[in-house]
Amino acid sequence: MTDLPMVVPAQGLPSRVRIHEVGARDGLQNEKATVPTDIKAEFIRRMAAAGLTTIEATSFVHPKWVPQLADAEALFPQISGIEGVDLPVLVPNERGLDRALELGARRIAVFGSATETFSQRNLNRSVAESLAMFEPVIARAKASDDDKVHVRGYLSMCFGDPWEGAVPVRQVVGVAKALLDLGCDELSLGDTIGVATPGHVQALLAALNEAGVPTGALGVHFHDTYGQALSNTLASLQHGVTTVDASAGGLGGCPYAKSATGNLATEDLVWMLDGLGIETGVDLAALTATSVWLAEQLGRPSPSRTVRALSHKD
Ligand code: HMG
Ligand code: MG
């Protein structure tokens, strides 16, 4: 058993990738049993110690909609002092923004949908109504020139929707442009239910470029339902994407999208990037140990293939 892949670079790939770690938010939001706040804080501290520098921490949403993250006010002060780490938080509306700013959050993420059905189910709003809800949030985040809050826009259901089926690329480009026009600094393309395949990913990226969206403004957010997340990530890197969302240990899902499973596991991603000689700053052994520790807290093994391989005792 080897602990690291052999390094063999490939042509046409970036030299560095920024991992946007979502395990503490996208990963834990789906857990049925309440995870104690102290465990969440320890999880985030351990991920930071393993070299992750963008760690999405929690959501300031309605506590009834996502009960697992109802402790955002208690959690955020426990972690906000970690050196050198950005801690974005999800914020759907002005009420969420007030809560986040009160605690000193400097990075927020609004989250829209390319489809009407998911928008209704996740935000209780049509797509147009959700954009109207985000508008003052983003405007306020950007209000002061010298003290701007970084705004990420998520766009869910970019490839398929469990109620509407395949989602036309043109429809996705329309909502993507609308979110960027509102002032989002970056846009993360969500394959919420994991149905994308590499050609579809490259077609969407190309269509966004044609519509005037630079690749540098885009991140990718793949769930791994059909085992395609890593292939889709490689296709994105070949297109020039350098921001990749992943979840430590492959935790995750979305409570408002049936069939959504965990995100691309951060360890699986780092194994591939390490093998390609692409820098991430992440210590794979330390991150794996973190996911093994969290799996013990949750009472079941991590679904990540790399975590399983590296933590095998034989
Ligand atoms: P609503 O029921 O329409 O809310 O929910 P409302 O605006 O009508 O307000 C109703 C009450 O909720 C009011 O209280 C508000 O103050 C309160 P009342 O006056 O009745 O006492 N309220 C809040 N309280 C605390 N924090 C808030 C907040 N907002 C309103 N922020 C709402 C609309 C957007 C709030 C709701 O639908 C919601 O919270 N949705 C969140 C759903 C969610 O978090 N989903 C998971 C994240 S998305 C995801 O996982 C996908 C992603 O990973 C990408 C991918 O994979 O594709 C990002
Ligand atoms: Mg997600």
Side-chain angles (χ1 to χ4, degrees):
M1 177 57 65
T2 168
D3 288 346
L4 286 171
M6 191 171 134
V7 179
V8 184
Q11 293 292 313
L13 295 174
S15 58
R16 188 173 176 90
V17 160
R18 185 173 67 87
I19 297 177
H20 183 107
E21 170 59 47
V22 297
R25 193 280 304 170
D26 208 350
L28 293 183
Q29 74 180 6
N30 225 24
E31 285 296 317
K32 294 216 166 44
T34 306
V35 179
T37 309
D38 289 352
I39 298 289
K40 293 176 184 172
E42 179 66 13
F43 180 38
I44 290 169
R45 275 193 291 270
R46 286 182 186 229
M47 290 193 288
L52 287 160
T53 52
T54 306
I55 304 178
E56 203 165 274
T58 187
S59 299
F60 290 92
V61 297
H62 195 295
K64 281 199 202 114
W65 284 65
V66 185
Q68 182 63 254
L69 304 183
D71 63 349
E73 265 81 6
L75 174 66
F76 201 79
Q78 284 200 42
I79 51 169
S80 54
I82 305 174
E83 282 287 311
V85 175
D86 291 323
L87 297 164
V89 292
L90 260 58
V91 161
N93 53 17
E94 286 194 271
R95 173 90 180 85
L97 181 70
D98 290 339
R99 292 172 59 203
L101 293 181
E102 174 89 359
L103 293 169
R106 304 303 307 148
R107 288 189 167 237
I108 62 161
V110 296
F111 46 104
S113 170
T115 64
E116 290 292 343
T117 314
F118 185 64
S119 186
Q120 284 293 350
R121 287 185 178 247
N122 199 43
L123 294 167
N124 203 23
R125 305 273 185 289
S126 68
V127 171
E129 287 165 345
S130 72
L131 293 170
M133 177 168 75
F134 301 148
E135 189 180 3
V137 174
I138 300 169
R140 281 178 53 200
K142 297 281 154 214
S144 159
D145 273 352
D146 51 358
D147 197 22
K148 283 194 172 110
V149 170
H150 183 276
V151 182
R152 161 175 263 226
Y154 275 108
L155 186 54
S156 287
M157 304 298 175
C158 285
F159 301 94
D161 172 290
W163 302 279
E164 298 185 19
V167 182
V169 165
R170 204 162 4 111
Q171 182 175 327
V172 180
V173 171
V175 189
K177 288 271 289 175
L179 277 168
L180 287 165
D181 288 348
L182 286 179
C184 289
D185 297 293
E186 66 174 5
L187 189 72
S188 175
L189 304 171
D191 183 15
T192 320
I193 56 169
V195 291
T197 47
H200 195 169
V201 170
Q202 291 192 336
L204 176 58
L205 292 168
L208 284 162
N209 292 160
E210 265 168 47
V213 179
T215 305
L218 298 171
V220 287
H221 180 103
F222 297 120
H223 285 260
D224 204 23
T225 320
Y226 295 89
Q228 304 299 301
L230 207 48
S231 312
N232 292 335
T233 300
L234 184 58
S236 308
L237 299 181
Q238 286 165 338
H239 191 88
V241 170
T242 58
T243 298
V244 179
D245 298 4
S247 161
L251 292 166
C254 176
Y256 292 101
K258 61 182 178 193
S259 79
T261 64
N263 296 76
L264 167 63
T266 312
E267 291 85 351
D268 297 9
L269 173 64
V270 172
W271 180 275
M272 179 178 82
L273 298 178
D274 277 357
L276 287 164
I278 296 174
E279 268 180 64
T280 64
V282 175
D283 176 336
L284 185 55
L287 189 62
T288 300
T290 297
S291 291
V292 170
W293 168 82
L294 188 72
E296 280 162 12
Q297 312 302 313
L298 299 178
R300 55 166 200 287
S302 157
S304 158
R305 305 288 282 266
T306 300
V307 170
R308 288 184 187 202
L310 292 179
S311 60
H312 207 269
K313 298 282 188 297
D314 295 342

